[in-house]
Amino acid sequence: MFQKANRIYLISFLLLLSGGLCLGQVFTEIDKVVASDREASAWFGYDVSISGDYAAVGAHNKDVYPPLNSKRTNAGAVYVYQFRNSQWVQIQILSAPTPLFEANFGFSLAMKDSTLVIGVRSDGLDSINTNYLSYAGSAYVYKLGNNGLFSLTQKITAKNRSYKAHFGYSVAFSDSTIVVGAPGESYVNQGAGYLDKAGAAYIFRQNTNGR
């Protein structure tokens, strides 16, 4: 045991000498942000993403109040911040156009350059907000406009949605490709290859026309 411990300390010492541990490059807290409309159990900060001067913070249990409709409990929201004058300023609150009870909009986030992808793990509506299927899940794609705000450009779902697939549990974006995790998916293909909650990941490629 002592020999093993000594080897570990020696490796750490050598890394320090070689610059592997850059003690001068440390992170210092410069700001703290909270939702402008703080709410108990909203889970603000469960997932976060940042690119350049913009950052997104998810609050997937946030209650949403659609116009002329009753409260949508745990529908979820995403808060967008911009770095201005040496501080992070909230500029937007995003929510689903058709918010659903316990949809968890903002459960996962991926931001890069002018694109923001938002996972909605328990959404029951398809890409055109019809054909309800419980907890099938979805993801929303937003683009940063010339006005400095993010606008919805597309809602994506699995081609063959499944009950409790939780598509949107995780999301990733790079260049023109989006990957969406669905850990509750049980099928290889529609109705075939069943294995309970084996999981799946879906890959989407942007078309040449920008969609």
Side-chain angles (χ1 to χ4, degrees), residues 48-68:
V48 296
S49 190
I50 186 172
S51 182
D53 289 337
Y54 289 88
V57 181
H60 65 273
N61 275 355
K62 175 79 170 64
D63 297 337
V64 176
Y65 298 82
L68 306 178

Side-chain angles (χ1 to χ4, degrees), residues 62 64-67 69-77 94-105 120 122-132 137-138 140 142 152 155:
K62 175 79 170 64
V64 176
Y65 298 82
N69 287 301
S70 59
K71 179 174 74 173
R72 299 291 189 264
T73 304
N74 298 347
L94 304 174
S95 59
T98 306
L100 299 181
F101 292 97
E102 300 181 350
N104 297 146
F105 180 96
V120 193
S122 299
D123 189 6
L125 299 177
D126 63 13
S127 60
I128 57 173
N129 290 322
T130 59
N131 302 316
Y132 185 83
S138 69
Y140 286 80
Y142 288 78
L152 177 63
K155 178 182 180 180

Side-chain angles (χ1 to χ4, degrees), residues 172-193:
F173 173 75
S174 180
D175 297 327
S176 56
T177 303
I178 294 173
V179 181
V180 183
E185 176 60 56
S186 300
Y187 296 95
V188 175
N189 295 307
Q190 187 176 22

Side-chain angles (χ1 to χ4, degrees), residues 8 18 28 33 38 48 58 75 83 89 95 98 103 105 123 153-154 158 172 174 188 200 202 206:
I8 293 173
S18 65
T28 303
V33 296
R38 294 176 66 217
V48 296
F83 192 65
V89 179
S95 59
T98 306
F105 180 96
D123 189 6
T153 60
Q154 188 179 2
S174 180
V188 175
Y202 297 79
Q206 189 176 43

